[in-house]
Amino acid sequence: QLQLVESGGGLVQAGGPLRLSCAASGRSYSINFMGWFRQAPGKVREFVARIARSSGSTYYADSVKGRFSISRDNAKNTVYLQMNSLKPEDTAVYYCAASRFLPSVTTTSYDYWGQGTQVTVSS
């Protein structure tokens, strides 16, 4: 089993930065890809960014490209999401997820999920 715990969410003004962290514990050696998703009220959970645990290769949703940056520290079993130039439409619960096999943008490809952390961007 793998446990994921997100932190770093909060209230921020539009245009400001925020950094989320996701700490993994347990069978982290089985994980090949880590991702961030978000879910706004009344909307489906959507892909934000992912990173390959070994190579560090990244991929972003068009809506966050150029503003968000995903990174990892394998020694700490932690993945980060640096969010800059935040917009009110970025307001959502942000979830960290881990995939054993597939570099995917779909929720069904991820095997483990964190509990989520709220990000609220005020205008």
Side-chain angles (χ1 to χ4, degrees):
Q1 283 292 339
L2 183 76
Q3 292 77 43
L4 302 174
V5 179
E6 303 99 333
S7 62
L11 175 64
V12 62
Q13 286 191 333
L18 203 61
R19 189 175 84 153
L20 305 182
S21 300
C22 173
S25 60
R27 293 186 174 183
S28 59
Y29 60 83
S30 66
I31 299 304
N32 287 304
F33 301 95
M34 298 289 294
W36 286 97
F37 288 74
R38 66 187 181 185
Q39 188 166 16
K43 295 189 176 181
V44 299
R45 192 169 299 188
E46 65 175 4
F47 170 80
V48 175
R50 71 163 189 255
I51 187 166
R53 191 169 181 268
S54 177
S55 69
S57 174
T58 59
Y59 183 77
Y60 298 91
D62 288 342
S63 59
V64 306
K65 201 173 296 182
R67 300 188 299 122
F68 291 11
S69 177
I70 187 171
S71 61
R72 91 275 194 237
D73 184 335
N74 288 342
K76 297 181 178 180
N77 287 325
T78 301
V79 173
Y80 305 96
L81 185 69
Q82 177 66 44
M83 305 184 292
N84 297 324
S85 303
L86 281 162
K87 305 174 182 180
E89 51 263 44
D90 294 318
T91 295
V93 176
Y94 282 71
Y95 296 91
C96 175
S99 171
R100 290 175 292 167
F101 305 116
L102 299 176
S104 175
V105 301
T106 60
T107 58
T108 54
S109 297
Y110 288 78
D111 306 289
Y112 304 98
W113 292 85
Q115 81 289 349
T117 185
Q118 176 71 47
V119 172
T120 302
V121 184
S122 64
S123 58

